[in-house]
Each structure stands twice: as C-alpha cells, then as structure tokens.
Amino acid sequence: MIQTFRELYNSGKEKLQENQKEDADFDALQLLIGAADFKQADFFLNAGETVPQNICDRYEEMLSQRISGRPLQYILGEWDFYKSTFFVGEGVLIPRPETEQLVEICVKEIRKNSYKTVYDLCAGSGCIGISIAKECPDVQVVMFELFDNALKYTQKNLEAHKLKNAKLVKFDVLNDDVSLLQNVDLLVSN
C-alpha cells in the first residue's frame, strides 16, 4: 500500500493511541522523523510525498518497539539535551529537561568562582559533563563511569563532541581509591 508521510504518521499515531501511549502524536512524529532520517522541517515539507518502502518498514519496526514499552529515546538512539544531541541507549539514563537546570547551575558557579576542575560522577551518557565542558572551555571536566554499557555511550558522545577539555575515566565511586577525587573545584552527579 502506497502512503504519504502524512498518512504514515496518522497511522502510527492511531496505533500508539490504541495501545494507550500518552504522547502518541509526539512519539509517532519523532519515530517517523527518525525512520526517514529527517529533520522536523523535512517532514512538513515532504508530508504529501510517497514514503519509500524501506522507511515504511523501519517505521513499523520502531512503532512495534514503542508499543512494547521501549523508551522512545532508546529507539531513536539519540536525544537532545541542553544545546546538543547525545547518543543514548540501554545502560544510561535518558537525558531529562530538569537535568539541564543542573548544567545551568554548574556553569553559573564555575564562572562565578573561576573553577578549573569539574568531576562528573556516574556520568552515564556524559551529557552533563560534556555540556559543562562545551560551555566552559577553560575548565577540565573528568567524567567517571563504572559500567561498560554506559561507558560505550560516554565514549561515543565524547568522541562526537570532540572536546579537548573533557576526558573519561572508568571508576567505581563506591569501591575505588577515592583519593583520586581530590583537587576538584566542583563535583556533579545526577
């Protein structure tokens, strides 16, 4: 069956609504944009265009994952946080808008006090530490993470953002030598 992007979106929204997904319209649009590798404006510019079969198939697979309860952000594999986009998936917390306030508070304190060293404990995706490093290029940010599932996302995000003032250390904050955590101006953790 040949469908336009608008028709495919409406069909996806209906499927999500039938399965009691709260933000069916938002999720359906985000999944379609992800399946088509579009920006949001591209969807609106192409809404009446016919969807290639490979995009239809990918969209249906993504809808099935969402219906089964998999988080939208994990399906998409990335999510916006603060002023950047971060890779996310199993093993890391999904970046939340409320956590952006933590970054803002940290940046304000760093600038007010001329801090030079920030440690991000249990860094996960690295969204907090990387955002701070981007906002404060004169600060050295060290992100500590223990779990391999999370480490791969922290490393991938660190490489994607190409920062010279941030690094990653595999570290167990509960069992490793905490003397490594000395000489820090600001300690942050979500």
Side-chain angles (χ1 to χ4, degrees), residues 144-168:
F144 296 93
E145 179 56 59
L146 171 64
F147 297 104
D148 290 336
N149 281 350
L151 279 165
K152 72 179 180 184
Y153 287 103
T154 319
Q155 187 63 45
K156 189 174 181 180
N157 284 318
L158 196 51
E159 290 168 5
H161 291 278
K162 298 179 172 85
L163 296 168
K164 296 183 189 291
N165 65 324
K167 69 179 185 177
L168 172 61

Side-chain angles (χ1 to χ4, degrees), residues 74-89:
Y74 288 178
I75 298 167
L76 297 172
E78 61 183 35
W79 200 246
D80 290 342
F81 176 82
Y82 200 64
K83 300 175 183 178
S84 302
T85 301
F86 292 88
F87 296 107
V88 296

